[in-house]
């Protein structure tokens, strides 16, 4: 079962938001990664003497191997409506999202989209997506069935909505709880899959539903919770109206036991200092979704407050498709950089790539398994081709450092840059394969 990859590799050993860039990564210009039963056995400089007899490494000279990317906030059912025009959050939900999501009671349709979604994720180098499904249990079964065929480490959950949504997309507090519990029992901990209790956001759940979500979260060991928090100003005003007794948006979730470790809050754009401090104290996670925030005109996430602070908050990176506009974490990083620029802050290339790999792995509480190229980690890897397009090839000719190479990749890169994607040591995407996919 032994296999090996050879080529330049880069992996983060420390947090560049806390220490110098130079002291937080492991780079090999000619590296060797040995893989055994889906895990990394060793990773260091290439040395023919350490290569076990009979193992011929797959060689990627002039490429860059990195840990597979993490997309900690995404809606696979919204894939058919990416790039819908011209609305802000609440109108956009009503006009596009709720229309599309009504189709997922049909498991064959859900399977079709889930398969296409995972293929695109792998093409973008994403090996761990954490996705919302729809209110239909079928949408969860379809997703996990397809993900388990690929052996992915991935999370998902049935959306809970018992008010302020069309009849075809509503459950009740009790049916939402019962269905979620059944799905979690079926899928959580199967292979590398994990389940996330998924109230869409405060306005679409009654207090009874949020309370049962809080109960369920503690009933099965290791369950995640994912929801949206403080994305858009009109949403904030609506939440204040619906929950007049709460101090702020986060407090709504807090009152129902929904703020803690493994609780993932998408967006977190308009937080008060009290909310930031509470998230830090609770070891909860925010997920920065730059392309979505710009596309919907939601606002500019405060990455500096999140990560460069006396009490930093666990922060992961997300695409938030279909409001997000790209599967590619490279495109997501480019927009994260621009948001930081608009705030007068900086985002270094190492900070950016850390965020897409080890930083997100830590934030989602999976750093023991993914996010690094190191012994014992899952062999989820992405092979980047820095000269993937004529423009990139020309531009990289003028690059004289690893930092410059990374920054050009995140500024000009796309799925074209992803030469191959490995999941638990198996190649699941090969850009240059004639069939276009191996899945
Ligand atoms: Zn979202």
């Amino acid at each position: 079962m032994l296999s090996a990859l050879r080529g330049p590799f880069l992996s983060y050993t420390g947090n560049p938001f806390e220490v110098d860039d130079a002291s937080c990564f492991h780079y090999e210009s000619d590296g060797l990664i040995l893989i055994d039963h889906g895990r990394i056995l060793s990773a260091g400089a290439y040395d023919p003497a350490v290569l076990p007899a009979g193992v011929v490494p797959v060689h990627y000279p002039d490429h860059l191997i990195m840990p597979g990317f993490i997309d900690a906030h995404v809606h696979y059912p919204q894939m058919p409506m990416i790039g819908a025009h011209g609305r802000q959050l609440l109108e956009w939900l009503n006009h596009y999202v709720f229309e599309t999501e009504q189709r997922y009671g049909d498991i064959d349709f859900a399977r079709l989209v889930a398969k296409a979604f995972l293929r695109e994720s792998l093409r973008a180098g994403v090996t761990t997506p954490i996705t919302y499904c729809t209110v239909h249990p079928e949408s969860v079964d379809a997703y996990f069935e397809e993900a388990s065929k690929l052996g992915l480490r991935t999370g998902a959950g049935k959306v809970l909505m018992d008010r302020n949504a069309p009849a075809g997309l509503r459950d009740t507090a009790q049916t939402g709880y019962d269905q979620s519990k059944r799905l979690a029992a079926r899928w959580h901990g199967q292979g590398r899959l994990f389940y996330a209790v998924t109230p869409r956001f405060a306005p679409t759940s009654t207090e009874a539903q949020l309370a049962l979500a809080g109960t369920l979260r503690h009933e099965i060991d290791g369950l995640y919770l994912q929801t949206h928090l403080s994305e858009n100003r009109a949403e904030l005003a609506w939440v204040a109206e619906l929950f007049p007794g709460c101090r702020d948006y986060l407090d709504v979730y807090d009152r129902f036991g929904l703020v803690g470790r493994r609780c993932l809050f998408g967006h977190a754009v308009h937080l008060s200092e009290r909310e930031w401090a509470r998230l830090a104290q609770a070891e909860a996670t925010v997920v920065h979704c730059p392309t979505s925030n710009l596309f919907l005109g939601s606002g500019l996430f405060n990455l500096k407050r999140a990560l460069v602070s006396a009490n930093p908050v666990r922060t992961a990176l997300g695409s938030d498709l279909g409001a997000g506009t790209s599967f590619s974490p490279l495109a997501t990083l480019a927009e994260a950089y621009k948001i930081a620029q608009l705030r007068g802050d900086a985002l270094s290339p190492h900070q950016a790539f850390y965020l897409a790999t080890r930083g997100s792995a830590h934030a989602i509480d999976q750093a023991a398994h993914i996010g690094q190229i190191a012994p014992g980690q899952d062999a989820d890897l992405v092979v980047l081709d820095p000269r993937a397009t004529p423009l990139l090839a020309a531009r990289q000719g003028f690059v004289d450092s690893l930092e410059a190479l990374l920054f050009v990749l995140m500024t000009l890169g796309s799925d074209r840059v992803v030469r191959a994607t490995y999941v638990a040591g198996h190649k699941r995407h090969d850009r240059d394969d004639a069939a276009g996919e191996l899945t």
Side-chain angles (χ1 to χ4, degrees):
M1 286 300 285
L2 272 177
S3 62
L5 300 186
R6 178 184 174 186
F9 74 73
L10 172 66
S11 168
Y12 290 95
T13 53
N15 178 352
F17 289 94
E18 289 177 354
V19 296
D20 278 354
D21 277 5
S23 61
C24 66
F25 63 86
H26 177 194
Y27 174 72
E28 296 288 351
S29 56
D30 184 9
L32 179 67
I33 302 167
L34 280 182
I35 298 166
D36 185 22
H37 290 90
R39 291 215 179 126
I40 295 171
L41 195 61
S42 67
Y46 176 72
D47 177 0
V50 303
L51 204 56
V55 176
V56 179
V58 181
H59 194 188
Y60 293 104
D62 303 319
H63 285 62
L64 182 64
I65 305 169
M66 290 194 71
F69 297 130
I70 294 162
D71 183 350
H73 182 115
V74 59
H75 300 256
Y76 97 79
Q78 295 177 19
M79 189 173 165
M81 43 144 301
I82 297 167
H85 174 259
R87 312 270 171 156
Q88 288 217 341
L89 175 67
L90 300 177
E91 218 189 331
W92 188 84
L93 275 174
N94 283 320
H95 199 81
Y96 299 120
V97 174
F98 291 163
E99 281 298 309
T100 305
E101 289 194 357
Q102 298 201 35
R103 299 189 60 179
Y104 288 81
D106 173 357
I107 195 163
D108 292 328
F109 180 75
R111 278 192 188 114
L112 213 66
V113 180
K115 195 174 159 75
F117 168 84
L118 289 171
R119 194 184 307 137
E120 280 303 315
S121 295
L122 292 169
R123 201 194 305 283
V126 173
T127 48
T128 294
I130 303 179
T131 187
Y132 288 58
C133 299
T134 68
V135 76
H136 315 94
E138 293 86 348
S139 71
V140 182
D141 285 327
Y143 180 78
F144 277 135
E145 280 167 16
E146 295 302 324
S148 62
K149 285 183 201 164
L150 296 165
L152 284 169
R153 182 175 290 281
T154 181
K158 180 197 115 72
V159 161
L160 299 167
M161 285 203 285
D162 67 346
R163 66 167 166 172
N164 294 321
L169 286 181
R170 283 201 303 265
D171 50 16
T172 68
Q174 193 61 46
T175 61
Y177 168 85
D178 292 342
Q179 290 168 344
S180 300
K181 193 168 180 173
R182 258 199 312 275
L183 289 164
R186 186 177 306 154
W187 295 109
H188 186 69
Q190 293 296 316
R192 298 197 293 157
L193 307 176
F194 51 94
Y195 190 85
V197 180
T198 309
R200 171 169 237 120
F201 69 150
T204 44
S205 287
T206 59
E207 298 197 359
Q209 181 159 70
L210 292 174
L212 280 175
T215 303
L216 177 57
R217 192 187 141 225
H218 296 289
E219 283 179 338
I220 299 177
D221 197 35
L223 279 196
Y224 283 72
L225 176 116
Q226 59 180 348
T227 189
H228 294 83
L229 172 69
S230 205
E231 177 176 359
N232 161 292
R233 297 233 179 249
E235 171 206 16
L236 257 69
W238 194 21
V239 169
E241 207 176 286
L242 290 169
F243 299 91
C246 293
R247 278 178 290 190
D248 46 43
Y249 199 157
L250 185 67
D251 195 38
V252 175
Y253 296 130
D254 227 347
R255 289 190 182 205
F256 299 104
L258 302 175
V259 180
R261 199 152 165 166
R262 295 193 172 199
C263 293
L264 315 181
F265 295 100
H267 304 297
V269 174
H270 306 282
L271 296 183
S272 64
E273 180 48 39
R274 192 207 77 81
E275 290 171 295
W276 282 115
R278 172 63 188 137
L279 287 163
Q281 177 201 31
E283 296 184 275
T285 301
V286 297
V287 188
H288 179 25
C289 305
T291 71
S292 167
N293 294 160
L294 293 173
F295 186 71
L296 292 181
S298 299
L300 305 176
F301 179 78
N302 193 345
L303 188 62
K304 190 174 172 188
R305 169 58 190 91
L307 286 173
V308 189
S309 155
N311 53 349
V313 171
R314 289 167 175 254
T315 302
L317 200 66
S319 68
D320 192 33
L321 294 169
T325 49
S326 178
F327 275 84
S328 172
L330 300 173
T332 304
L333 290 176
E335 302 311 284
Y337 175 80
K338 292 171 196 167
I339 288 176
Q341 286 283 72
L342 283 167
R343 297 188 63 93
D345 298 331
L347 179 66
S348 78
H350 283 304
Q351 288 173 333
F353 280 85
Y354 166 82
L355 205 52
T357 57
R358 191 179 182 206
S360 283
H362 168 71
I364 64 167
D365 216 20
Q366 295 275 348
H369 306 294
I370 53 171
Q372 273 187 285
I373 299 177
Q377 289 263 300
D378 296 352
D380 290 350
L381 300 163
V382 58
V383 183
L384 303 175
D385 174 2
R387 291 163 193 80
T389 68
L391 174 61
L392 276 167
R395 180 63 183 87
Q396 296 293 9
F398 296 93
V399 152
D400 57 1
S401 68
L402 176 63
E403 290 72 24
L405 181 146
L406 292 172
F407 194 64
V408 167
L409 276 182
M410 65 186 252
T411 304
L412 299 177
S414 69
D415 61 348
R416 289 297 301 157
V417 165
V418 177
R419 172 70 177 78
T421 306
Y422 287 78
V423 175
H426 299 284
K427 187 159 65 173
R428 297 296 191 192
H429 165 66
D430 188 330
R431 184 194 66 193
D432 298 346
D433 185 79
E437 59 168 302
L438 298 174
T439 60

